[in-house]
Amino acid sequence: MDQSSTRLLPPETPRDFGFFLDGAYVPAGDREVFLRNSPGHGTPVTRIPKCTTEDLDATVAAARAAFEDRRWSGLSGADRAAVLLKTADILEARTDEIAYWETLENGKPISQSRGEVGGCVSIFRYAAGVARTLHGDSFNNLGDKMFGLVTREPIGVVGLITPWNFPFLILCERVPFILASGCTMVTKPSEVTSATTLILGEILKEAGLPDGCYNVVTGSGSTIGQALTEHMDVDMLSFTGSTAVGRSCLQAAGSNFKKLGLELGGKNPQIVFADSDLEDAADGVAFGIGFNTGQCCVSGARLIVEASIADTFSEMVAAKLKNARVGDPLDEATQIGAITTDAQNDTILGYIAKGREEGAKVVTGGAALDIGQGQYIAPTVFSNVTPDMAIARDEIFGPVLTVMPFETLDEAITIANDTIYGLAASVWTKNIDKALTVTRRVRAGRFWVNTTLSGGPELPIGGFKQSGWGREAGVYGVEEYTQIKSVHIELGKRDPWVE
Ligand code: NDP
């Protein structure tokens, strides 16, 4: 890669990756290979093995062996923390390289990829602390003859399935917590964005993670993903992706009643009151739908705005989006990159066409952009949207914002809650009563007041309703990967049952 200019170049030939088993890469050999094209450039960038079910069994067996012999779970929290801290240091040193492969496979701007790797470094450092503070509870109120303990134990072998929209960030919102808890794991990235998940394997090894604790199996979701979900020797599955596949994971996990963590879709409201700082709100709303080309489960896709300012405010958001720089993701100046998959590109353009058919009005955007060989869509704002329209109800997962006006606070809350999802929401107002009332009554797992899409490892991630089960990150996140055991300890002589 050419590091000297402000515009990096895609590789001349695609890079071959192996899957990661028991601390070492396994080359594709005679397996089929998936050739990934950069969505920003249309050229091939990586070649990823299509693992077989035997490969999957081998990775699960490696994770099982590593768990059972306690090479990781038997270490102190301090020793586990040391590995996580070392991992953070190596990630930091390799930021540019990881960001480059992330951008090539995903299409997101290189500056954003670098920022995300920086976020991952921070998560590993946070999780190192959690490894040391994770603890149970004790009961000293059971009388002089009984003492009670509640211990937390790692749940065992975790299967982790991640999506293509934030391949490395979503991975790193989970891996350090899984490892902090003492579990071992097999992860399956989306087939189209496997590179950085594979690179993490050698980084963890270099940081001192024992072999077998982190394994990566590659291939498609419908084959290897499904098999991992059904696997009889996996104790827990953490899945992030669509609500439809999340539902199929629910059924598949019934094979051995594995515990499930699910982070699924969203159709997240941005509620804007007339008394907000409109300049800040317009910028936040534009960011909330433009960031990562709207391919975020927490994108603010529904603008619910006080009727008195609806037209003016929509124009302000449209003006912001028109000024956002869409283009080559390897260009340092780019703010909005390419659409990650061909299927997603078709889906978004399909919804834009449907919005027009349903009678919504395009305020800005509404078409594909002709930029080089990649696939790009202009950030789009629709007004005249009614709650029954598909563009108002379905998760589009693209840079498409729908505007719906409201007259009263109650009406704003009703519109916000009129969805099967409950992942995230934002409210913009300078009135504390309105801010807190909306925060308390809108059903969503993540909430932002006068900001959006902010976060850090301290606060948990997860959704209400059909947006998922369980929480990732924070103290809550590490606890998800533990089992609770209650222990009764009798002191002194037993009161006999039989005299
Ligand atoms: P999926 O839900 O299909 O993909 C998410 C992950 O699940 C990928 O690793 C995928 O693998 C894997 N997967 C697919 N099928 C199965 C299965 N049967 N069993 C186990 N794992 C499976 O999302 P899509 O990529 O198809 O995107 C479709 C829609 O999902 C988007 O338009 C968006 O609405 C939503 N989505 C939501 C995300 C979120 O963060 N909440 C993230 C991604 C998508 P592979 O990619 O290799 O097939």
Side-chain angles (χ1 to χ4, degrees), residues 62-101:
R64 173 60 59 196
F67 183 72
E68 296 300 338
D69 71 13
R70 303 186 65 77
R71 70 187 81 160
W72 181 242
S73 65
L75 298 185
S76 67
D79 287 345
R80 288 207 287 271
V83 171
L84 298 176
L85 289 171
K86 183 84 197 302
T87 304
D89 292 345
I90 303 171
L91 284 182
E92 200 162 39
R94 291 177 65 171
T95 297
D96 286 345
E97 175 204 352
I98 297 168
Y100 178 70
W101 292 103

mmCIF file of all heavy atoms in Angstrom, residues 62-101:
data_model
loop_
_atom_site.group_PDB
_atom_site.id
_atom_site.type_symbol
_atom_site.label_atom_id
_atom_site.label_comp_id
_atom_site.label_asym_id
_atom_site.label_seq_id
_atom_site.Cartn_x
_atom_site.Cartn_y
_atom_site.Cartn_z
ATOM 1 N N ALA A 62 -11.034 -27.088 19.524
ATOM 2 C CA ALA A 62 -9.872 -26.354 20.072
ATOM 3 C C ALA A 62 -10.319 -25.438 21.211
ATOM 4 O O ALA A 62 -9.664 -25.357 22.264
ATOM 5 C CB ALA A 62 -9.198 -25.540 18.963
ATOM 6 N N ALA A 63 -11.443 -24.750 20.996
ATOM 7 C CA ALA A 63 -11.944 -23.848 22.045
ATOM 8 C C ALA A 63 -12.376 -24.650 23.272
ATOM 9 O O ALA A 63 -12.158 -24.233 24.416
ATOM 10 C CB ALA A 63 -13.118 -23.025 21.507
ATOM 11 N N ARG A 64 -12.971 -25.815 23.030
ATOM 12 C CA ARG A 64 -13.416 -26.671 24.148
ATOM 13 C C ARG A 64 -12.209 -27.158 24.958
ATOM 14 O O ARG A 64 -12.201 -27.083 26.198
ATOM 15 C CB ARG A 64 -14.224 -27.851 23.591
ATOM 16 C CG ARG A 64 -14.617 -28.925 24.584
ATOM 17 C CD ARG A 64 -15.484 -28.422 25.719
ATOM 18 N NE ARG A 64 -16.726 -27.817 25.244
ATOM 19 C CZ ARG A 64 -17.509 -27.039 26.005
ATOM 20 N NH1 ARG A 64 -17.182 -26.754 27.273
ATOM 21 N NH2 ARG A 64 -18.605 -26.510 25.516
ATOM 22 N N ALA A 65 -11.187 -27.627 24.252
ATOM 23 C CA ALA A 65 -10.001 -28.136 24.958
ATOM 24 C C ALA A 65 -9.363 -27.021 25.782
ATOM 25 O O ALA A 65 -8.972 -27.221 26.943
ATOM 26 C CB ALA A 65 -9.002 -28.708 23.954
ATOM 27 N N ALA A 66 -9.290 -25.834 25.181
ATOM 28 C CA ALA A 66 -8.665 -24.704 25.891
ATOM 29 C C ALA A 66 -9.487 -24.317 27.118
ATOM 30 O O ALA A 66 -8.931 -23.900 28.134
ATOM 31 C CB ALA A 66 -8.539 -23.512 24.947
ATOM 32 N N PHE A 67 -10.800 -24.473 27.000
ATOM 33 C CA PHE A 67 -11.632 -24.124 28.158
ATOM 34 C C PHE A 67 -11.503 -25.176 29.248
ATOM 35 O O PHE A 67 -11.319 -24.857 30.424
ATOM 36 C CB PHE A 67 -13.103 -23.970 27.734
ATOM 37 C CG PHE A 67 -13.965 -23.544 28.888
ATOM 38 C CD1 PHE A 67 -13.875 -22.249 29.386
ATOM 39 C CD2 PHE A 67 -14.831 -24.434 29.497
ATOM 40 C CE1 PHE A 67 -14.641 -21.858 30.480
ATOM 41 C CE2 PHE A 67 -15.599 -24.044 30.589
ATOM 42 C CZ PHE A 67 -15.504 -22.751 31.079
ATOM 43 N N GLU A 68 -11.574 -26.440 28.848
ATOM 44 C CA GLU A 68 -11.628 -27.519 29.858
ATOM 45 C C GLU A 68 -10.316 -27.649 30.639
ATOM 46 O O GLU A 68 -10.342 -27.982 31.820
ATOM 47 C CB GLU A 68 -11.984 -28.863 29.205
ATOM 48 C CG GLU A 68 -13.376 -28.913 28.580
ATOM 49 C CD GLU A 68 -14.517 -28.660 29.563
ATOM 50 O OE1 GLU A 68 -14.339 -28.841 30.775
ATOM 51 O OE2 GLU A 68 -15.606 -28.248 29.086
ATOM 52 N N ASP A 69 -9.178 -27.401 29.989
ATOM 53 C CA ASP A 69 -7.926 -27.571 30.752
ATOM 54 C C ASP A 69 -7.547 -26.305 31.534
ATOM 55 O O ASP A 69 -6.479 -26.247 32.146
ATOM 56 C CB ASP A 69 -6.781 -28.059 29.851
ATOM 57 C CG ASP A 69 -6.282 -27.001 28.883
ATOM 58 O OD1 ASP A 69 -6.628 -25.815 29.034
ATOM 59 O OD2 ASP A 69 -5.535 -27.369 27.954
ATOM 60 N N ARG A 70 -8.403 -25.311 31.481
ATOM 61 C CA ARG A 70 -8.287 -24.120 32.322
ATOM 62 C C ARG A 70 -7.043 -23.290 32.031
ATOM 63 O O ARG A 70 -6.590 -22.507 32.866
ATOM 64 C CB ARG A 70 -8.364 -24.487 33.822
ATOM 65 C CG ARG A 70 -9.647 -25.241 34.183
ATOM 66 C CD ARG A 70 -9.790 -25.482 35.662
ATOM 67 N NE ARG A 70 -9.942 -24.256 36.432
ATOM 68 C CZ ARG A 70 -11.052 -23.544 36.519
ATOM 69 N NH1 ARG A 70 -12.140 -23.921 35.853
ATOM 70 N NH2 ARG A 70 -11.095 -22.455 37.251
ATOM 71 N N ARG A 71 -6.502 -23.424 30.796
ATOM 72 C CA ARG A 71 -5.292 -22.637 30.480
ATOM 73 C C ARG A 71 -5.602 -21.137 30.494
ATOM 74 O O ARG A 71 -4.706 -20.318 30.602
ATOM 75 C CB ARG A 71 -4.700 -23.081 29.133
ATOM 76 C CG ARG A 71 -5.503 -22.731 27.924
ATOM 77 C CD ARG A 71 -4.943 -23.336 26.646
ATOM 78 N NE ARG A 71 -5.326 -24.735 26.475
ATOM 79 C CZ ARG A 71 -5.303 -25.367 25.287
ATOM 80 N NH1 ARG A 71 -4.877 -24.753 24.205
ATOM 81 N NH2 ARG A 71 -5.672 -26.623 25.187
ATOM 82 N N TRP A 72 -6.878 -20.776 30.352
ATOM 83 C CA TRP A 72 -7.261 -19.356 30.356
ATOM 84 C C TRP A 72 -8.176 -19.041 31.541
ATOM 85 O O TRP A 72 -7.918 -18.132 32.315
ATOM 86 C CB TRP A 72 -7.947 -19.021 29.021
ATOM 87 C CG TRP A 72 -8.377 -17.587 28.863
ATOM 88 C CD1 TRP A 72 -9.649 -17.131 28.707
ATOM 89 C CD2 TRP A 72 -7.536 -16.427 28.819
ATOM 90 N NE1 TRP A 72 -9.658 -15.758 28.583
ATOM 91 C CE2 TRP A 72 -8.374 -15.302 28.642
ATOM 92 C CE3 TRP A 72 -6.157 -16.218 28.930
ATOM 93 C CZ2 TRP A 72 -7.883 -14.000 28.567
ATOM 94 C CZ3 TRP A 72 -5.661 -14.916 28.857
ATOM 95 C CH2 TRP A 72 -6.521 -13.834 28.677
ATOM 96 N N SER A 73 -9.204 -19.866 31.718
ATOM 97 C CA SER A 73 -10.150 -19.582 32.808
ATOM 98 C C SER A 73 -9.490 -19.768 34.165
ATOM 99 O O SER A 73 -9.935 -19.194 35.164
ATOM 100 C CB SER A 73 -11.376 -20.491 32.702
ATOM 101 O OG SER A 73 -11.008 -21.838 32.895
ATOM 102 N N GLY A 74 -8.399 -20.568 34.207
ATOM 103 C CA GLY A 74 -7.724 -20.810 35.480
ATOM 104 C C GLY A 74 -6.760 -19.694 35.872
ATOM 105 O O GLY A 74 -6.244 -19.676 36.985
ATOM 106 N N LEU A 75 -6.525 -18.752 34.949
ATOM 107 C CA LEU A 75 -5.619 -17.641 35.280
ATOM 108 C C LEU A 75 -6.324 -16.630 36.175
ATOM 109 O O LEU A 75 -7.557 -16.540 36.196
ATOM 110 C CB LEU A 75 -5.175 -16.926 34.000
ATOM 111 C CG LEU A 75 -4.387 -17.730 32.966
ATOM 112 C CD1 LEU A 75 -3.946 -16.807 31.838
ATOM 113 C CD2 LEU A 75 -3.186 -18.411 33.606
ATOM 114 N N SER A 76 -5.529 -15.836 36.848
ATOM 115 C CA SER A 76 -6.131 -14.760 37.650
ATOM 116 C C SER A 76 -6.639 -13.671 36.711
ATOM 117 O O SER A 76 -6.188 -13.547 35.557
ATOM 118 C CB SER A 76 -5.083 -14.167 38.588
ATOM 119 O OG SER A 76 -4.094 -13.507 37.814
ATOM 120 N N GLY A 77 -7.574 -12.866 37.216
ATOM 121 C CA GLY A 77 -8.045 -11.715 36.442
ATOM 122 C C GLY A 77 -6.880 -10.817 36.060
ATOM 123 O O GLY A 77 -6.850 -10.237 34.970
ATOM 124 N N ALA A 78 -5.908 -10.699 36.939
ATOM 125 C CA ALA A 78 -4.750 -9.842 36.657
ATOM 126 C C ALA A 78 -3.971 -10.365 35.457
ATOM 127 O O ALA A 78 -3.527 -9.596 34.595
ATOM 128 C CB ALA A 78 -3.852 -9.774 37.894
ATOM 129 N N ASP A 79 -3.805 -11.687 35.378
ATOM 130 C CA ASP A 79 -3.070 -12.256 34.238
ATOM 131 C C ASP A 79 -3.862 -12.096 32.938
ATOM 132 O O ASP A 79 -3.295 -11.835 31.875
ATOM 133 C CB ASP A 79 -2.761 -13.736 34.494
ATOM 134 C CG ASP A 79 -1.664 -13.915 35.534
ATOM 135 O OD1 ASP A 79 -0.959 -12.923 35.840
ATOM 136 O OD2 ASP A 79 -1.522 -15.034 36.068
ATOM 137 N N ARG A 80 -5.174 -12.273 33.039
ATOM 138 C CA ARG A 80 -5.985 -12.067 31.830
ATOM 139 C C ARG A 80 -5.918 -10.593 31.403
ATOM 140 O O ARG A 80 -5.837 -10.268 30.224
ATOM 141 C CB ARG A 80 -7.431 -12.498 32.085
ATOM 142 C CG ARG A 80 -7.590 -13.999 32.190
ATOM 143 C CD ARG A 80 -8.980 -14.449 31.800
ATOM 144 N NE ARG A 80 -9.988 -14.120 32.796
ATOM 145 C CZ ARG A 80 -10.332 -14.899 33.822
ATOM 146 N NH1 ARG A 80 -9.740 -16.078 33.983
ATOM 147 N NH2 ARG A 80 -11.256 -14.535 34.659
ATOM 148 N N ALA A 81 -5.962 -9.712 32.385
ATOM 149 C CA ALA A 81 -5.899 -8.276 32.087
ATOM 150 C C ALA A 81 -4.592 -7.927 31.370
ATOM 151 O O ALA A 81 -4.573 -7.105 30.445
ATOM 152 C CB ALA A 81 -6.025 -7.474 33.378
ATOM 153 N N ALA A 82 -3.509 -8.570 31.778
ATOM 154 C CA ALA A 82 -2.214 -8.266 31.153
ATOM 155 C C ALA A 82 -2.251 -8.580 29.661
ATOM 156 O O ALA A 82 -1.715 -7.825 28.825
ATOM 157 C CB ALA A 82 -1.105 -9.061 31.857
ATOM 158 N N VAL A 83 -2.902 -9.678 29.291
ATOM 159 C CA VAL A 83 -3.001 -10.038 27.868
ATOM 160 C C VAL A 83 -3.869 -9.009 27.123
ATOM 161 O O VAL A 83 -3.547 -8.585 26.006
ATOM 162 C CB VAL A 83 -3.589 -11.467 27.719
ATOM 163 C CG1 VAL A 83 -3.902 -11.778 26.266
ATOM 164 C CG2 VAL A 83 -2.619 -12.497 28.305
ATOM 165 N N LEU A 84 -4.956 -8.596 27.755
ATOM 166 C CA LEU A 84 -5.843 -7.627 27.093
ATOM 167 C C LEU A 84 -5.133 -6.278 26.916
ATOM 168 O O LEU A 84 -5.280 -5.616 25.887
ATOM 169 C CB LEU A 84 -7.138 -7.468 27.893
ATOM 170 C CG LEU A 84 -7.990 -8.745 28.021
ATOM 171 C CD1 LEU A 84 -9.201 -8.512 28.924
ATOM 172 C CD2 LEU A 84 -8.453 -9.245 26.655
ATOM 173 N N LEU A 85 -4.349 -5.887 27.911
ATOM 174 C CA LEU A 85 -3.625 -4.615 27.800
ATOM 175 C C LEU A 85 -2.557 -4.683 26.711
ATOM 176 O O LEU A 85 -2.362 -3.739 25.942
ATOM 177 C CB LEU A 85 -2.972 -4.260 29.148
ATOM 178 C CG LEU A 85 -3.956 -3.845 30.250
ATOM 179 C CD1 LEU A 85 -3.248 -3.729 31.595
ATOM 180 C CD2 LEU A 85 -4.644 -2.527 29.897
ATOM 181 N N LYS A 86 -1.875 -5.822 26.641
ATOM 182 C CA LYS A 86 -0.847 -5.988 25.597
ATOM 183 C C LYS A 86 -1.508 -5.970 24.219
ATOM 184 O O LYS A 86 -0.979 -5.384 23.262
ATOM 185 C CB LYS A 86 -0.117 -7.318 25.842
ATOM 186 C CG LYS A 86 1.032 -7.600 24.893
ATOM 187 C CD LYS A 86 2.300 -6.915 25.364
ATOM 188 C CE LYS A 86 3.398 -6.765 24.333
ATOM 189 N NZ LYS A 86 3.938 -7.861 23.701
ATOM 190 N N THR A 87 -2.680 -6.599 24.119
ATOM 191 C CA THR A 87 -3.416 -6.590 22.852
ATOM 192 C C THR A 87 -3.711 -5.152 22.433
ATOM 193 O O THR A 87 -3.538 -4.779 21.260
ATOM 194 C CB THR A 87 -4.753 -7.358 22.999
ATOM 195 O OG1 THR A 87 -4.466 -8.667 23.464
ATOM 196 C CG2 THR A 87 -5.498 -7.435 21.677
ATOM 197 N N ALA A 88 -4.146 -4.346 23.399
ATOM 198 C CA ALA A 88 -4.462 -2.937 23.092
ATOM 199 C C ALA A 88 -3.231 -2.228 22.536
ATOM 200 O O ALA A 88 -3.321 -1.471 21.557
ATOM 201 C CB ALA A 88 -4.964 -2.234 24.349
ATOM 202 N N ASP A 89 -2.075 -2.489 23.137
ATOM 203 C CA ASP A 89 -0.842 -1.828 22.666
ATOM 204 C C ASP A 89 -0.515 -2.243 21.229
ATOM 205 O O ASP A 89 -0.122 -1.414 20.404
ATOM 206 C CB ASP A 89 0.342 -2.197 23.581
ATOM 207 C CG ASP A 89 0.195 -1.586 24.974
ATOM 208 O OD1 ASP A 89 -0.649 -0.678 25.136
ATOM 209 O OD2 ASP A 89 0.906 -2.039 25.891
ATOM 210 N N ILE A 90 -0.674 -3.529 20.940
ATOM 211 C CA ILE A 90 -0.342 -3.994 19.572
ATOM 212 C C ILE A 90 -1.359 -3.423 18.574
ATOM 213 O O ILE A 90 -0.993 -2.987 17.478
ATOM 214 C CB ILE A 90 -0.296 -5.536 19.508
ATOM 215 C CG1 ILE A 90 0.713 -6.086 20.522
ATOM 216 C CG2 ILE A 90 0.063 -6.007 18.098
ATOM 217 C CD1 ILE A 90 0.673 -7.614 20.677
ATOM 218 N N LEU A 91 -2.620 -3.428 18.968
ATOM 219 C CA LEU A 91 -3.643 -2.846 18.080
ATOM 220 C C LEU A 91 -3.299 -1.398 17.762
ATOM 221 O O LEU A 91 -3.411 -0.949 16.620
ATOM 222 C CB LEU A 91 -5.019 -2.860 18.765
ATOM 223 C CG LEU A 91 -5.789 -4.164 18.852
ATOM 224 C CD1 LEU A 91 -7.131 -3.923 19.535
ATOM 225 C CD2 LEU A 91 -6.016 -4.727 17.462
ATOM 226 N N GLU A 92 -2.902 -0.684 18.793
ATOM 227 C CA GLU A 92 -2.584 0.733 18.609
ATOM 228 C C GLU A 92 -1.443 0.881 17.599
ATOM 229 O O GLU A 92 -1.502 1.713 16.695
ATOM 230 C CB GLU A 92 -2.177 1.326 19.964
ATOM 231 C CG GLU A 92 -2.286 2.812 20.037
ATOM 232 C CD GLU A 92 -2.293 3.277 21.495
ATOM 233 O OE1 GLU A 92 -1.550 2.702 22.332
ATOM 234 O OE2 GLU A 92 -3.046 4.219 21.795
ATOM 235 N N ALA A 93 -0.435 0.039 17.754
ATOM 236 C CA ALA A 93 0.720 0.119 16.854
ATOM 237 C C ALA A 93 0.345 -0.287 15.421
ATOM 238 O O ALA A 93 0.979 0.166 14.466
ATOM 239 C CB ALA A 93 1.845 -0.773 17.385
ATOM 240 N N ARG A 94 -0.666 -1.126 15.262
ATOM 241 C CA ARG A 94 -1.031 -1.613 13.923
ATOM 242 C C ARG A 94 -2.311 -0.953 13.393
ATOM 243 O O ARG A 94 -2.969 -1.489 12.494
ATOM 244 C CB ARG A 94 -1.179 -3.150 13.957
ATOM 245 C CG ARG A 94 0.167 -3.836 14.169
ATOM 246 C CD ARG A 94 0.073 -5.338 14.285
ATOM 247 N NE ARG A 94 -0.375 -5.992 13.065
ATOM 248 C CZ ARG A 94 -0.372 -7.318 12.881
ATOM 249 N NH1 ARG A 94 0.088 -8.109 13.834
ATOM 250 N NH2 ARG A 94 -0.805 -7.844 11.753
ATOM 251 N N THR A 95 -2.657 0.194 13.944
ATOM 252 C CA THR A 95 -3.917 0.867 13.577
ATOM 253 C C THR A 95 -4.049 1.066 12.068
ATOM 254 O O THR A 95 -5.092 0.742 11.471
ATOM 255 C CB THR A 95 -4.010 2.242 14.287
ATOM 256 O OG1 THR A 95 -4.052 2.016 15.680
ATOM 257 C CG2 THR A 95 -5.253 3.000 13.851
ATOM 258 N N ASP A 96 -3.016 1.604 11.434
ATOM 259 C CA ASP A 96 -3.124 1.946 10.004
ATOM 260 C C ASP A 96 -3.398 0.706 9.158
ATOM 261 O O ASP A 96 -4.207 0.730 8.239
ATOM 262 C CB ASP A 96 -1.830 2.614 9.510
ATOM 263 C CG ASP A 96 -1.718 4.037 10.033
ATOM 264 O OD1 ASP A 96 -2.738 4.575 10.517
ATOM 265 O OD2 ASP A 96 -0.609 4.597 9.976
ATOM 266 N N GLU A 97 -2.711 -0.369 9.509
ATOM 267 C CA GLU A 97 -2.872 -1.607 8.735
ATOM 268 C C GLU A 97 -4.291 -2.172 8.895
ATOM 269 O O GLU A 97 -4.948 -2.545 7.919
ATOM 270 C CB GLU A 97 -1.841 -2.624 9.250
ATOM 271 C CG GLU A 97 -1.953 -3.977 8.630
ATOM 272 C CD GLU A 97 -1.351 -5.062 9.534
ATOM 273 O OE1 GLU A 97 -0.732 -4.726 10.557
ATOM 274 O OE2 GLU A 97 -1.535 -6.242 9.192
ATOM 275 N N ILE A 98 -4.779 -2.214 10.122
ATOM 276 C CA ILE A 98 -6.127 -2.762 10.356
ATOM 277 C C ILE A 98 -7.166 -1.881 9.664
ATOM 278 O O ILE A 98 -8.095 -2.378 9.003
ATOM 279 C CB ILE A 98 -6.415 -2.879 11.871
ATOM 280 C CG1 ILE A 98 -5.437 -3.859 12.509
ATOM 281 C CG2 ILE A 98 -7.846 -3.338 12.126
ATOM 282 C CD1 ILE A 98 -5.437 -3.831 14.022
ATOM 283 N N ALA A 99 -6.989 -0.564 9.789
ATOM 284 C CA ALA A 99 -7.948 0.366 9.167
ATOM 285 C C ALA A 99 -7.969 0.182 7.648
ATOM 286 O O ALA A 99 -9.030 0.249 7.019
ATOM 287 C CB ALA A 99 -7.572 1.798 9.532
ATOM 288 N N TYR A 100 -6.800 -0.059 7.078
ATOM 289 C CA TYR A 100 -6.713 -0.223 5.612
ATOM 290 C C TYR A 100 -7.551 -1.415 5.147
ATOM 291 O O TYR A 100 -8.370 -1.291 4.233
ATOM 292 C CB TYR A 100 -5.235 -0.409 5.255
ATOM 293 C CG TYR A 100 -4.947 -0.645 3.782
ATOM 294 C CD1 TYR A 100 -5.103 0.374 2.858
ATOM 295 C CD2 TYR A 100 -4.485 -1.884 3.339
ATOM 296 C CE1 TYR A 100 -4.816 0.163 1.508
ATOM 297 C CE2 TYR A 100 -4.185 -2.101 2.004
ATOM 298 C CZ TYR A 100 -4.357 -1.082 1.090
ATOM 299 O OH TYR A 100 -4.073 -1.293 -0.236
ATOM 300 N N TRP A 101 -7.406 -2.559 5.793
ATOM 301 C CA TRP A 101 -8.149 -3.752 5.364
ATOM 302 C C TRP A 101 -9.634 -3.615 5.686
ATOM 303 O O TRP A 101 -10.501 -4.105 4.940
ATOM 304 C CB TRP A 101 -7.551 -5.030 5.972
ATOM 305 C CG TRP A 101 -6.199 -5.274 5.390
ATOM 306 C CD1 TRP A 101 -5.003 -5.046 5.978
ATOM 307 C CD2 TRP A 101 -5.921 -5.723 4.053
ATOM 308 N NE1 TRP A 101 -3.977 -5.314 5.102
ATOM 309 C CE2 TRP A 101 -4.516 -5.742 3.904
ATOM 310 C CE3 TRP A 101 -6.702 -6.094 2.959
ATOM 311 C CZ2 TRP A 101 -3.884 -6.122 2.724
ATOM 312 C CZ3 TRP A 101 -6.078 -6.483 1.783
ATOM 313 C CH2 TRP A 101 -4.694 -6.495 1.672
#
